[in-house]
Structure formats: C-alpha cells, structure tokens
Amino acid sequence: MKKNDLIKLTIEKYAFEGKGIAKIDFGDDEKKFIVFVEGTYPGDLVLAKVTKKKKSFADAKIIELLEKSSLRTEARCKYFGTCGGCKQQNLFYKDQLIFKQEQVDEIYQRLGGFSGYVMEEIIPSKNIFFYRNKMDFSFADKKWLTEDEIKSGEKFDRDFALGLHIPNMFDKVIDIDECFLQSELSNRILNFTREFFKTKNTSIYTTKTHSGYLRNLVIKQASNTNDLMVNLVTSNDDDELMMSFTSELTKAFPEITTFINNINTTKALIAVGNYEKIFFGDGYIYDKIGKYKFRISANSFFQTNTLQAENLYQKTLEFCEFESDEIVYDLYSGAGTISIFVSEYVKNVFGFEVVDSSVKDAELNREINNISNVYSFKADLYSTFLPLTKLHNLPKPTTIILDPPRSGMHTNTVNDVINLSPKKIVYVSCNPTTQVRDLKLFVDAGYQLIKICSVDMFPHTYHIETVALLRKI
C-alpha cells in the first residue's frame, strides 16, 4: 500500500474525531494494518484513496460509498459535506451518543491506563437542532461553490459571501442562507444582513490586501430570556453606514434588544474588536443557567448550549459531593458561572481566571445574583497562582473545580493543585485526551479516579464534554 492507492474497505469501528476504522490483514503473523477513513461509519463499504501512509496505519478519504451502513440517516442541511459545522448529521443521534460514550471510555483506558472507575451514562442534549445561543458568520469576497452548485452549470455571483468557513481553509467561506444550529430568526437576520450590505456594494476585508470593511456577523440569542444581540465586526468606523443598518435591522427585527459594532483593526481573523460602539440597546444581553442570571457582552464567553450547560453544571455539582462549610477553588473560572452555580452549597468559592475581562464579568455576575461568598481573582494559570493565594491569605481548598481550555492544564498549574492537596478534584473538560493526560499526573500524586460522565453539548459533532471526580487516597 502506498499514497494515492485506491482500496476497497469495510468499516469496522468508529474512532475519536469522526473517523471510521478499517483493518487490513497482510497475512503471516503481522498485526492487522489500520486505515482511518473520515466521514465513514461501521458497516460502510467504501472505495477510498490513501492520503497518508505510516508504518502501522494510513489515512484515507472516501471516493465512493459502495454500501451504506444501517447507522446512516439523511442529513437535514443542504450544506452538509461542504460546511464543517455538523460532520455527523448523517448519523442517527442515538448512535452518536453510543460512539461518544465508547470513545471516552476507550481514551480513559487506552491513553490513561485507568480502570475501576464508574462510567456514568452519557447525558444527551434535549435539542439536537437549533441548540446554539451563538453563531459567528464570516464575510468573504470570494464565494465557495458546493459540488451541486458547480454541477448545476448555473452562473453564480461569487463576489460576496456571508456564511461559514470550509474546514481547514481560513480564507474560504460558503455562502449560507439556512443553518440549523441556531434559530430560524437568526437565519433571517443573516440573510437580511447579506442583502443590506450587498446592495450597497460594501467592501469585504481580505487577507490578500488587508483592506475592506466587513469581517464578521455574530448573533447571540438568549435561551431563557427574550434578549438578542447582533454584533457586526468591521475593520474600521463608518458611523453613517452603521446608523442606517441599525435603523433598517431593528425595524425588520423588533426582537433585537441590542446592536453593537466591534472594530477589529488588526490582521487577526477573529470576531473580536479592539473597541466597540453600541448603536442600539445596552450593549449586552442576559441569560439564565438554572436560577442564576448572567450578563453577556459581545466578547465574553458563555456556554454555547445554554440548556445543556445546566445539565453540565448540575453534574459538576453532583460530583463535588459537598459537605457543609467547604472551601472551593474554581480554576479557569471565566465569567464565574460555575462558581455562582455551586455557591449556595459551600462556605466560600474562590475563582481564578487569566483573562481580565472575564474576571470583571464574574464580579458583575456575582452582584447581579446577590452572591456574597464568591470571590474572583486574575491569576497566572501558566506559571503559578499559589503566591496569589498567600498574598490574600486565602484558606486552603477542600475541593478544586477545573475547567481548562481544550489544550488542558499547564504542568505548573497541575503542580499547584497537587501542592494545595484538596480532598476532591472535579475536572470538567471539552477534550478527553488532554483531560486524561492531566488526570494521570494527579493519580501519580496520590489521587484516585472515582467516576466520569460525558455530557453531549454539541450534537452532530464529535465534540464531547466530560466531568471526572478524583479523591485523595
């Protein structure tokens, strides 16, 4: 076997990050050779092309689906296969859950070498469509055509696109008029925005010349209140144009409670501005998780699936197994959502966060909810945060909650936690591979993995949140 070979494969298993696994037996006493084929499921028979060949495995892409797996269903979205947002939309949801559960268990056993823990049943998302409270759309001056559009032979206006990026192509955008991730209302706002600026021949920012005006459209829609934010990210100011857009937009969509213009003057392709201007409303919205209310600004982080976030936090609270008068440290505490959610069950919660704006959001959310036992600190979670605890003479924690980014924890922070020696560690993660890496360090330091639970925050994707409980031996 070599690169570019065409091979017929039967998919036997499903691997992490949405790849099917086929095995080839070369005979003799050699182990079976593994081939990973993206976009395939157990039971598929495919003709695939080898894209990468290594000593013990190969990657391949599907050329033709010869026989369909019984696990397949019809994808709802017409952009499926081109847009990378919902790569598992053609897999029955019940099977998505089974695979996610199996993958997490395999990662813990294979990468972590763990055994003897309790694997709780995965918590499914109540909504498998229209579950996101935030969508970030990009403008592009070159529209990416789908295979169906190319085959149609029609002529398309390719000079203006507003939609989502093609996977692994930062400068390629597919023009989208309907997405099933957020709401029908957000689709209408998306299409209105496209037509407004297209008819005015408004320029679009391009990385080729680093010029142009339009960059991103961000829609944030609260799930438990009636608040709705529209945030237009541009490369410079144009107050006259923004006032015109604000007037037309809010007239067409009275549901909008605030409109903001973020101005990003940098070359970075991010939907965050160096500064912002509020053209309508207060410049922020409110949403609720459980009985708690949180203020969300244009650039602040908030769990994207609000309804499922409550299940995630409830599971975190359950795993904490709090006793009375506990001292809790919440690391990577963000806007204080977890700190506030658990606050009524403990004596004090001390949140530590590296982003200054998030610390300010946490302090504000504490005031909004009249919480008196939560304290927020800006802390270096890459070097060491222990000097901060000594500076403020903070009591030692009995429980530490961890919710780091996908990259996991810095070893310095792991060592800080070990030095604090809490009775319990509850680790919330959006990446089980980095979570397992960190958990092994805690186990080596005298902790035991008790149980884990997966929470499906993002249906139709391979992403999964996991909560793990460790106890000091």
Side-chain angles (χ1 to χ4, degrees):
M1 181 191 296
K2 58 183 182 297
K3 186 178 179 180
N4 295 324
D5 277 357
L6 293 178
I7 50 177
K8 189 182 291 187
L9 299 169
T10 298
I11 306 301
E12 300 178 24
K13 290 185 64 178
Y14 192 62
F16 188 57
E17 296 190 344
K19 294 180 180 179
I21 298 176
K23 296 179 181 179
I24 300 176
D25 191 349
F26 290 117
D28 301 326
D29 295 326
E30 295 184 29
K31 292 182 179 180
K32 289 187 177 181
F33 190 79
I34 301 296
V35 182
F36 296 98
V37 188
E38 189 170 356
T40 61
Y41 306 118
D44 280 341
L45 177 64
V46 302
L47 180 66
K49 183 178 182 179
V50 178
T51 57
K52 182 170 68 174
K53 169 70 165 54
K54 296 291 184 180
K55 185 177 181 180
S56 59
F57 75 93
D59 287 332
K61 66 177 182 180
I62 184 170
I63 299 299
E64 183 181 355
L65 181 59
L66 303 174
E67 291 182 17
K68 290 183 179 181
S69 166
S70 61
L71 307 180
R72 286 181 176 267
T73 185
E74 288 298 317
R76 182 174 180 177
C77 181
K78 61 186 175 183
Y79 303 109
F80 177 78
T82 304
C83 168
C86 303
K87 290 188 175 182
Q88 296 185 153
Q89 201 180 111
N90 62 342
L91 177 66
F92 283 110
Y93 186 58
K94 62 179 179 63
D95 295 303
Q96 293 180 34
L97 295 174
I98 291 171
F99 287 141
K100 288 182 179 184
Q101 178 100 339
E102 290 176 349
Q103 288 158 25
V104 170
D105 205 18
E106 183 177 348
I107 288 168
Y108 268 76
Q109 293 182 38
R110 180 172 54 84
L111 294 182
F114 294 118
S115 61
Y117 58 85
V118 175
M119 166 70 84
E120 294 192 355
E121 187 175 352
I122 189 171
I123 300 176
S125 178
K126 180 180 179 181
N127 299 324
I128 64 171
F129 292 106
F130 305 120
Y131 60 82
R132 288 183 65 96
N133 57 39
K134 174 193 173 186
M135 284 298 293
D136 179 352
F137 301 102
S138 298
F139 290 92
D141 62 351
K142 185 68 69 174
K143 175 182 174 180
W144 180 272
L145 298 182
T146 65
E147 287 187 13
D148 289 340
E149 287 173 332
I150 294 172
K151 291 176 181 177
S152 71
E154 296 181 38
K155 290 186 176 182
F156 294 91
D157 178 4
R158 300 192 62 181
D159 296 331
F160 196 108
L162 175 57
L164 298 172
H165 285 277
I166 303 299
N168 303 316
M169 296 184 182
F170 71 92
D171 59 341
K172 308 296 183 184
V173 172
I174 180 172
D175 199 46
I176 287 177
D177 60 20
E178 183 179 39
C179 178
F180 296 106
L181 285 175
Q182 201 170 25
S183 68
E184 186 275 334
L185 175 59
S186 72
N187 286 327
R188 289 191 284 125
I189 293 172
L190 169 72
N191 294 325
F192 177 91
T193 302
R194 178 191 298 105
E195 290 307 309
F196 178 90
F197 290 109
K198 193 173 180 180
T199 55
K200 292 186 178 298
N201 295 315
T202 309
S203 64
I204 296 173
Y205 180 83
T206 172
T207 55
K208 293 179 181 178
T209 61
H210 297 292
S211 62
Y213 181 69
L214 299 168
R215 300 185 71 140
N216 300 90
L217 171 70
V218 184
I219 303 172
K220 291 189 175 185
Q221 188 172 10
S223 298
N224 294 310
T225 69
N226 294 320
D227 287 358
L228 174 61
M229 172 192 294
V230 176
N231 173 26
L232 192 75
V233 183
T234 61
S235 57
N236 56 273
D237 296 279
D238 189 334
D239 288 357
E240 184 178 349
L241 180 59
M242 282 298 96
M243 287 189 287
S244 175
F245 180 56
T246 303
S247 176
E248 295 297 319
L249 181 71
T250 53
K251 186 187 303 179
F253 303 101
E255 300 93 338
I256 294 172
T257 54
T258 191
F259 172 70
I260 302 163
N261 176 206
N262 259 251
I263 296 91
N264 177 10
T265 61
T266 72
K267 295 179 180 179
L269 295 178
I270 54 175
V272 178
N274 303 89
Y275 60 97
E276 67 181 31
K277 292 186 174 182
I278 301 168
F279 284 87
F280 179 75
D282 296 323
Y284 50 82
I285 60 175
Y286 289 99
D287 206 349
K288 296 179 71 177
I289 298 179
K291 64 181 180 181
Y292 298 106
K293 189 176 183 180
F294 299 96
R295 195 174 97 162
I296 306 164
S297 58
N299 300 320
S300 63
F301 172 78
F302 192 73
Q303 284 285 354
T304 313
N305 186 340
T306 311
L307 299 180
Q308 191 68 334
E310 184 171 352
N311 288 328
L312 177 67
Y313 291 175
Q314 192 63 47
K315 181 56 64 174
T316 302
L317 175 62
E318 178 188 318
F319 273 27
C320 286
E321 300 175 350
F322 287 132
E323 300 171 2
S324 59
D325 292 336
E326 283 210 39
I327 300 297
V328 179
Y329 282 11
D330 179 14
L331 271 60
Y332 312 92
S333 54
T337 49
I338 292 180
S339 295
I340 291 170
F341 194 86
V342 305
S343 61
E344 69 173 293
Y345 302 95
V346 300
K347 183 177 181 179
N348 285 309
V349 185
F350 299 96
F352 301 89
E353 169 59 44
V354 69
V355 180
D356 187 58
S357 60
S358 294
V359 175
K360 293 177 181 177
D361 284 340
E363 293 172 346
L364 182 63
N365 286 325
R366 180 190 63 197
E367 294 174 5
I368 291 170
N369 290 283
N370 296 314
I371 303 295
S372 60
N373 65 336
V374 172
Y375 307 89
S376 303
F377 299 94
K378 182 180 180 182
D380 186 346
L381 297 175
Y382 302 98
S383 178
T384 176
F385 72 96
L386 288 185
L388 186 66
T389 66
K390 295 175 182 177
L391 176 66
H392 294 276
N393 197 28
L394 302 182
K396 282 199 170 185
T398 51
T399 299
I400 291 184
I401 300 172
L402 308 168
D403 189 8
R406 285 190 60 80
S407 57
M409 299 175 65
H410 194 284
T411 52
N412 291 339
T413 310
V414 171
N415 290 329
D416 279 356
V417 172
I418 291 171
N419 287 331
L420 288 167
S421 191
K423 293 180 180 179
K424 296 164 291 182
I425 299 172
V426 177
Y427 192 137
V428 183
S429 174
C430 59
N431 186 344
T433 56
T434 56
Q435 182 186 37
V436 162
R437 178 201 67 200
D438 297 339
L439 292 183
K440 288 172 68 177
L441 298 176
F442 290 124
V443 169
D444 290 342
Y447 285 85
Q448 181 183 359
L449 176 63
I450 305 298
K451 55 185 176 180
I452 59 177
C453 183
S454 300
V455 183
D456 188 24
M457 302 287 287
F458 304 105
H460 309 305
T461 76
Y462 54 74
H463 297 292
I464 186 71
E465 295 267 348
T466 49
V467 185
L469 168 64
L470 299 101
R471 279 191 174 275
K472 184 88 170 180
I473 298 175

